Amino acid sequence: MKITGKTKIVGIFGFPVSHTLSPLIQNVAFQEAGLDFVYVPFQVKSSDLRKATEAIRVFDIVGVNVTIPHKEGIIDYLDEISEEVKLIGAVNTVVNKGGKLVGYNTDWMGFLESLREDGVSLKEKKAFLIGAGGAALSLGFALVKEGVKTLFLTNRTYSRAENLARKLKEIKGDETEIKVVEFEKKEKLASEGIDILINATSLGMKEKDPPLIDLTGFPPSLYVYDVIYNRETELLKEAKKLGMRCQGGLGMLIYQGASAFWLWTGKKAPIEKMKAVARDYLGV
Ligand SMILES: NC(=O)c1ccc[n+]([C@@H]2O[C@H](COP(=O)([O-])OP(=O)(O)OC[C@H]3O[C@@H](n4cnc5c(N)ncnc54)[C@H](OP(=O)(O)O)[C@@H]3O)[C@@H](O)[C@H]2O)c1
């Protein structure tokens, strides 16, 4: 990589930030696209977030990705946010438009694009979303936006699932039927004719994590989606064993990055190259 006086800078704000795959993926994408950009990790403490955001303007940085724990907090320091961010309440991409900082959320786009690539449509479907953190909120938004007929929600902490249901109802009114289910009773949904089941929790990231749910009673037509991208989870292994179609979180990661790439450069990202480098790095 050749850095010159003309090289444009983008990066990521997070704390910690050392685990992120985005610098690897984005730098390969810039190189492949022949763009004189460099993507760097910025470890930013919450107490420094205002100053760090101001520095985007000071250093004429093209934009940044934003990860845990700043996705919500950074909104206060931006000049404008997209319509989706107004609904989701979380930013993962900032674009510096001549000194005006605009916040976007591309996580939900990444999820939808990865499903489209696999030929999965959500319209009028029955979906089961497990989790109620940041990822679940973006995915829940995508699910109601795409017009799922019924959305079942569950979470280890029940009250957080109820909060998520309330938020999603505010976004989509009554068009999607939203039902909260107790975590301990999640296997009972096997007979509900669910089309797609999604893990939006962090369970499965670690080698010794137990399976999230027993899939044996669910129909083989079930599509299983897991946001975890660093390994093949027990959930995906079980789905494959039962002959169910499924995918892990790598597609979502790549496509949210590709949308950010497009927002910063106006160019289409080299998806296959990004996927290949991420797979190679993760050994998946
Ligand atoms: N593929 C992608 O592009 C992508 C994008 C964003 C995030 N992710 C992944 O999504 C996962 C969740 O991220 P997040 O930002 O939503 O995190 P978060 O806000 O911290 O939420 C974590 C969620 O996981 C649940 N959870 C944690 N440990 C659990 C356990 N042992 N059993 C059952 N549920 C458990 C939590 O339940 P409680 O509420 O009960 O604590 C909560 O719902 C992470 O692994 C992250 O890497 C992937």
Side-chain angles (χ1 to χ4, degrees), residues 68 71 107 130-137 139 154-158 160-161 183 199-203 205 209-210 212 225-230 248-254 256:
I68 293 169
K71 286 186 175 188
D107 282 334
I130 309 179
L137 179 55
L139 268 54
T154 195
N155 189 51
R156 181 179 60 177
T157 310
Y158 187 77
R160 290 189 79 195
F183 195 69
N199 173 31
T201 77
S202 44
L203 192 69
M205 279 179 88
D209 276 351
L212 176 73
Y225 193 101
D226 199 324
V227 291
I228 305 292
Y229 57 78
N230 64 316
L250 196 61
M252 176 175 164
L253 181 80
I254 298 295
Q256 64 77 27

Side-chain angles (χ1 to χ4, degrees), residues 83-154:
E83 288 308 310
E84 287 84 11
V85 170
K86 282 180 195 158
L87 298 170
I88 300 169
V91 161
N92 81 328
T93 304
V94 175
V95 183
N96 180 359
K97 298 187 177 179
K100 186 167 84 174
L101 303 184
V102 186
Y104 297 88
N105 187 307
T106 67
D107 282 334
W108 67 276
M109 299 181 198
F111 168 63
L112 290 183
E113 208 45 52
S114 65
L115 282 178
R116 260 181 224 125
E117 188 183 45
D118 217 9
V120 179
S121 151
L122 293 169
K123 193 147 184 61
E124 296 291 313
K125 297 283 169 62
K126 281 189 178 182
F128 182 19
L129 178 62
I130 309 179
L137 179 55
S138 292
L139 268 54
F141 171 78
L143 291 164
V144 297
K145 190 174 187 305
E146 286 295 289
V148 292
K149 187 168 71 183
T150 311
L151 176 57
F152 294 97
L153 295 176
T154 195

Side-chain angles (χ1 to χ4, degrees), residues 9-164:
I9 300 169
V10 287
I12 181 163
F13 286 1
F15 194 95
V17 81
S18 54
H19 65 283
T20 178
L21 271 188
S22 295
L24 179 76
I25 296 169
Q26 295 288 0
N27 282 318
V28 160
F30 292 136
Q31 231 167 328
E32 183 75 6
L35 293 167
D36 190 9
F37 278 59
V38 62
Y39 186 109
V40 284
F42 294 109
Q43 177 152 296
V44 177
K45 287 189 215 129
S46 293
S47 54
D48 289 332
L49 184 59
R50 191 185 60 75
K51 281 188 275 178
T53 309
E54 185 53 35
I56 298 173
R57 267 190 281 262
V58 174
F59 294 126
D60 196 24
I61 290 170
V62 174
V64 292
N65 280 135
V66 184
T67 187
I68 293 169
H70 303 315
K71 286 186 175 188
E72 288 98 20
I74 200 164
I75 291 175
D76 288 345
Y77 309 123
L78 300 177
D79 301 307
E80 204 175 298
I81 51 173
S82 71
E83 288 308 310
E84 287 84 11
V85 170
K86 282 180 195 158
L87 298 170
I88 300 169
V91 161
N92 81 328
T93 304
V94 175
V95 183
N96 180 359
K97 298 187 177 179
K100 186 167 84 174
L101 303 184
V102 186
Y104 297 88
N105 187 307
T106 67
D107 282 334
W108 67 276
M109 299 181 198
F111 168 63
L112 290 183
E113 208 45 52
S114 65
L115 282 178
R116 260 181 224 125
E117 188 183 45
D118 217 9
V120 179
S121 151
L122 293 169
K123 193 147 184 61
E124 296 291 313
K125 297 283 169 62
K126 281 189 178 182
F128 182 19
L129 178 62
I130 309 179
L137 179 55
S138 292
L139 268 54
F141 171 78
L143 291 164
V144 297
K145 190 174 187 305
E146 286 295 289
V148 292
K149 187 168 71 183
T150 311
L151 176 57
F152 294 97
L153 295 176
T154 195
N155 189 51
R156 181 179 60 177
T157 310
Y158 187 77
S159 59
R160 290 189 79 195
E162 285 185 312
N163 285 342
L164 179 60

Side-chain angles (χ1 to χ4, degrees), residues 251-280:
M252 176 175 164
L253 181 80
I254 298 295
Y255 280 110
Q256 64 77 27
S259 297
F261 181 98
W262 183 82
L263 285 167
W264 295 323
T265 67
K267 302 240 179 327
K268 218 167 159 279
I271 299 288
E272 291 312 318
K273 187 79 190 176
M274 292 160 89
K275 268 189 199 164
V277 74
R279 281 207 187 102
D280 189 42

Side-chain angles (χ1 to χ4, degrees), residues 139-274:
L139 268 54
F141 171 78
L143 291 164
V144 297
K145 190 174 187 305
E146 286 295 289
V148 292
K149 187 168 71 183
T150 311
L151 176 57
F152 294 97
L153 295 176
T154 195
N155 189 51
R156 181 179 60 177
T157 310
Y158 187 77
S159 59
R160 290 189 79 195
E162 285 185 312
N163 285 342
L164 179 60
R166 218 170 293 127
K167 265 195 164 177
L168 294 176
K169 277 178 191 159
E170 277 169 26
I171 291 172
K172 200 61 183 182
D174 294 330
E175 284 171 57
T176 297
E177 187 184 21
I178 300 178
K179 296 180 178 176
V180 182
V181 177
E182 282 173 48
F183 195 69
E184 294 68 29
K185 294 187 179 157
K186 56 191 178 308
E187 277 82 7
K188 293 219 163 103
L189 291 191
S191 57
E192 287 284 344
I194 288 165
D195 301 291
I196 176 167
L197 179 149
I198 303 145
N199 173 31
T201 77
S202 44
L203 192 69
M205 279 179 88
K206 297 191 216 99
E207 205 63 49
K208 290 202 174 112
D209 276 351
L212 176 73
I213 183 169
D214 179 2
L215 291 176
T216 45
F218 287 82
S221 58
L222 183 72
Y223 188 93
V224 179
Y225 193 101
D226 199 324
V227 291
I228 305 292
Y229 57 78
N230 64 316
R231 58 183 293 272
E232 185 174 65
T233 60
E234 303 311 310
L235 179 70
L236 290 187
K237 285 180 194 159
E238 165 98 341
K240 280 185 183 168
K241 213 159 54 184
L242 294 168
M244 296 165 177
R245 292 182 62 211
C246 59
Q247 74 164 294
L250 196 61
M252 176 175 164
L253 181 80
I254 298 295
Y255 280 110
Q256 64 77 27
S259 297
F261 181 98
W262 183 82
L263 285 167
W264 295 323
T265 67
K267 302 240 179 327
K268 218 167 159 279
I271 299 288
E272 291 312 318
K273 187 79 190 176
M274 292 160 89

